[in-house]
Amino acid sequence: MIDLRHLDQKIDLHHQEVAWLASTIEQYLLQLVAKASVRPLDLPQALSIKPLGRIAKRLWSAHRSWKSPLKPRKIRLEHDELQLLTHLAGQLQQQCRRDELLTALGKVHQKAILLEPFFQIPQ
């Protein structure tokens, strides 16, 4: 198995950015579940469920254990999670237009750019 942990990135996010990003991911997942009850999901949507759930769980865990809400915290995202969030950024923005969410997604995109030598990142 290929070890790609060196491609994982740490992103400085503030307390509210983490909360809005986690909440928006959960809303998106609920929307996927609702769609799946009407018609089958396409493969990319189906494959995104588990990693998005993992990201949301990690974000909520960080949010609950935050020591100082005024200070940013480094949140680690695996390379595939980073690419997935970048790929879904437009759809996540449609869920919520909060500044905190847009800032968090912008920070995710900045880190995803660092992976361009290794992967084609969708714009």
Side-chain angles (χ1 to χ4, degrees):
M1 188 160 115
I2 299 174
D3 184 9
L4 298 176
R5 283 182 288 189
H6 65 284
L7 297 176
D8 296 352
Q9 301 290 317
K10 291 184 179 177
I11 302 174
D12 288 327
L13 293 175
H14 288 276
H15 193 249
Q16 289 301 314
E17 293 169 347
V18 169
W20 281 104
L21 184 55
S23 176
T24 304
I25 290 171
E26 285 181 343
Q27 289 174 10
Y28 178 77
L29 287 171
L30 289 173
Q31 185 181 34
L32 283 182
V33 170
K35 282 183 185 178
S37 67
V38 176
R39 63 170 177 76
L41 296 176
D42 60 20
L43 185 60
Q45 289 174 324
L47 292 175
S48 72
I49 293 172
K50 189 172 182 179
L52 285 174
R54 189 174 62 222
I55 295 167
K57 183 178 178 181
R58 192 175 326 123
L59 290 172
W60 281 126
S61 176
H63 187 265
R64 280 190 301 276
S65 66
W66 216 281
K67 301 280 188 257
S68 174
L70 299 177
K71 286 186 174 182
R73 186 169 177 179
K74 291 192 182 303
I75 305 294
R76 184 186 59 81
L77 289 175
E78 296 176 17
H79 70 91
D80 55 336
E81 296 169 342
L82 192 65
Q83 293 174 65
L84 178 60
L85 287 176
T86 302
H87 178 70
L88 294 175
Q91 294 174 45
L92 294 174
Q93 288 175 12
Q94 291 174 2
Q95 300 287 325
C96 174
R97 300 287 305 169
R98 292 285 303 218
D99 289 342
E100 295 89 349
L101 173 67
L102 299 177
T103 302
L105 290 173
K107 291 176 181 181
V108 166
H109 183 72
Q110 284 178 325
K111 292 295 184 171
I113 289 173
L114 299 174
L115 299 177
E116 283 183 345
F118 308 101
F119 306 100
Q120 183 178 5
I121 306 294
Q123 298 297 326

